[in-house]
Structure formats: structure tokens, C-alpha cells
Amino acid sequence: SDVCSSDLMLSETNINTPAAQAIKKMINIYEDYLVQKDTIYNSRSDRDIKYREMLRETTLTQLEDIAATNPNAREVYYSLFSDFLRG
């Protein structure tokens, strides 16, 4: 996916700017969200459905908070995460 390739590029180039650190953190949060959503809370039970929604909202808030710290991170947030996590 695009997110993984972005993560790979940041890791391979060993960029350590504040923007790169923020973007790496955003990618890690998003990937953690996917793991939890797809493997831990993946049933159709009411509990899992409610937890997935809460997890999505929490993840979105975390990403928004990081995006607010850096203009480059904000651009990454808008291009990679905001539409997907809102839908």
C-alpha cells in the first residue's frame, strides 16, 4: 500500500527531521489501528463493531494531533489518512 511504501522510504533514507518523525509516528499509529481492527476486533459482534468505531475515532484524533504539529505532517494526514478514517 501507499502508506507502507512511504514508511519504507522514510526508513531507508534515515531521515530524522521533525516532519519525518511526525510522519513515521502517524504511519505507526495507523498500522496499529489496522492490526487491531483486522485481527483483534474483527467479528460482527456488537462489542467489536462498537470497539472498531471507538478505535477509528481515537486513531483519527491521534493523527490529527500529530498533523497539527507540522505542516508536512498535516499534508500527509490530508493525503493519506483523513478521508479513509472518516469513511
Side-chain angles (χ1 to χ4, degrees):
S1 79
D2 291 339
V3 173
C4 291
S5 62
S6 297
D7 189 29
L8 181 62
M9 287 188 302
L10 287 172
S11 298
E12 286 181 349
T13 56
N14 200 23
I15 297 170
N16 203 24
T17 65
Q21 290 175 348
I23 293 165
K24 286 178 190 178
K25 189 173 182 180
M26 290 169 72
I27 290 168
N28 288 336
I29 289 169
Y30 176 73
E31 288 175 345
D32 288 346
Y33 159 78
L34 289 179
V35 167
Q36 290 184 58
K37 178 182 75 71
D38 294 340
T39 60
I40 300 171
Y41 301 101
N42 60 354
S43 80
R44 293 184 183 265
S45 73
D46 286 342
R47 182 187 70 89
D48 279 5
I49 291 169
K50 288 176 185 172
Y51 190 81
R52 279 194 305 270
E53 180 59 25
M54 184 183 74
L55 181 62
R56 186 181 67 78
E57 290 296 326
T58 301
T59 301
L60 186 58
T61 299
Q62 289 176 320
L63 295 176
E64 288 171 342
D65 290 347
I66 295 168
T69 67
N70 183 285
N72 293 325
R74 188 169 29 257
E75 289 302 316
V76 168
Y77 169 80
Y78 286 124
S79 12
L80 292 181
F81 301 116
S82 66
D83 288 343
F84 180 75
L85 286 171
R86 289 189 189 283

